[in-house]
Amino acid sequence: MTTTPDLPEEKHVTTGATVWLTGLPSAGKTTIAYELAARLREEGHLVEVLDGDEIREFISAGLGFSREDRHTNVQRIGFLAELLARNGVKALVPVIAPYADSREAVRKRHQENGSAYIEVHVATPVEVCSVRDVKGLYAKQAAGELTGLTGVDDPYEEPLSPDLRIESQDQTVQESAAAVHALLTERGLA
């Protein structure tokens, strides 16, 4: 009879949830999401980051930046996030989602399906975002090469009562991710 050595069992936590990080371009949404994802994976959670740029390339290709197209994009991402959440995955969604009605429709989809949904407003001021300017969008807008930049010449409707508000200019990425993790823990999701 052959015995196998004791191997460490992989721990998988299967309580799914969507964490939607909304905020202006260059607010720090994606950076916080990836930091949080690493921490959650270390704890055994199944995690996917639904990066807005990747979604636009692969799932929402062909959509522009009109209000209608932005709404369609957010609803597609919301559908995918809820599908993952109801199947035990933590879906971290660093997507601007500039319109309150679009975000509310996503929240409602989660509620109707019994999936946990947390809205995090990464409330970095536009002045800080324009200095960070990760993608060069603010510089292009200032130079007249780009129009429709959210929070500058296109609207961004700040969440009135998000589950958590983070002012990333006042804390490290690790502190921001820890704040989201603390909320997940408080709600029994981490």
Side-chain angles (χ1 to χ4, degrees):
M1 179 164 132
T2 317
T3 60
T4 56
D6 290 333
L7 298 174
E9 288 186 34
E10 281 192 37
K11 176 184 165 194
H12 288 291
V13 180
T14 58
T15 304
T18 294
V19 178
W20 197 292
L21 296 104
T22 179
L24 297 174
S26 297
K29 300 176 301 294
T30 302
T31 306
I32 294 167
Y34 278 107
E35 179 71 24
L36 178 60
R39 181 171 178 174
L40 289 169
R41 284 186 184 112
E42 285 176 8
E43 295 173 355
H45 296 271
L46 300 174
V47 180
E48 288 295 333
V49 177
L50 301 180
D51 182 280
D53 294 332
E54 291 174 359
I55 296 290
R56 275 207 171 262
E57 181 179 351
F58 296 107
I59 294 177
S60 294
L63 289 180
F65 291 91
S66 68
R67 183 180 179 102
E68 181 178 296
D69 282 356
R70 288 176 192 250
H71 179 77
T72 298
N73 185 50
V74 168
Q75 296 317 297
R76 288 178 182 176
I77 298 167
F79 171 81
L80 184 56
E82 194 281 322
L83 182 67
L84 289 168
R86 90 171 97 119
N87 283 284
V89 177
K90 301 288 187 299
L92 309 182
V93 186
V95 174
I96 295 169
Y99 301 110
D101 61 341
S102 296
R103 294 189 306 266
E104 187 54 35
V106 171
R107 180 186 294 276
K108 186 176 179 186
R109 168 183 291 283
H110 281 72
Q111 288 171 340
E112 289 169 355
N113 289 297
S115 299
Y117 179 85
I118 293 176
E119 182 179 74
V120 178
H121 180 206
V122 183
T124 311
V126 69
E127 301 79 23
V128 174
C129 295
S130 65
V131 169
R132 290 178 181 172
D133 204 9
V134 177
K135 299 174 193 165
L137 299 175
Y138 293 93
K140 287 180 182 175
Q141 193 277 337
E145 300 168 16
L146 175 74
T147 59
L149 181 60
T150 302
V152 178
D153 61 351
D154 208 55
Y156 176 73
E157 299 170 356
E158 289 191 8
L160 298 177
S161 55
D163 297 288
L164 178 65
R165 192 176 314 275
I166 291 175
E167 297 190 12
S168 71
Q169 73 280 7
D170 295 333
Q171 58 192 30
T172 67
V173 172
Q174 293 77 17
E175 290 169 334
S176 295
V180 180
H181 189 275
L183 180 58
L184 285 168
T185 301
E186 176 185 307
R187 299 216 177 151
L189 300 168

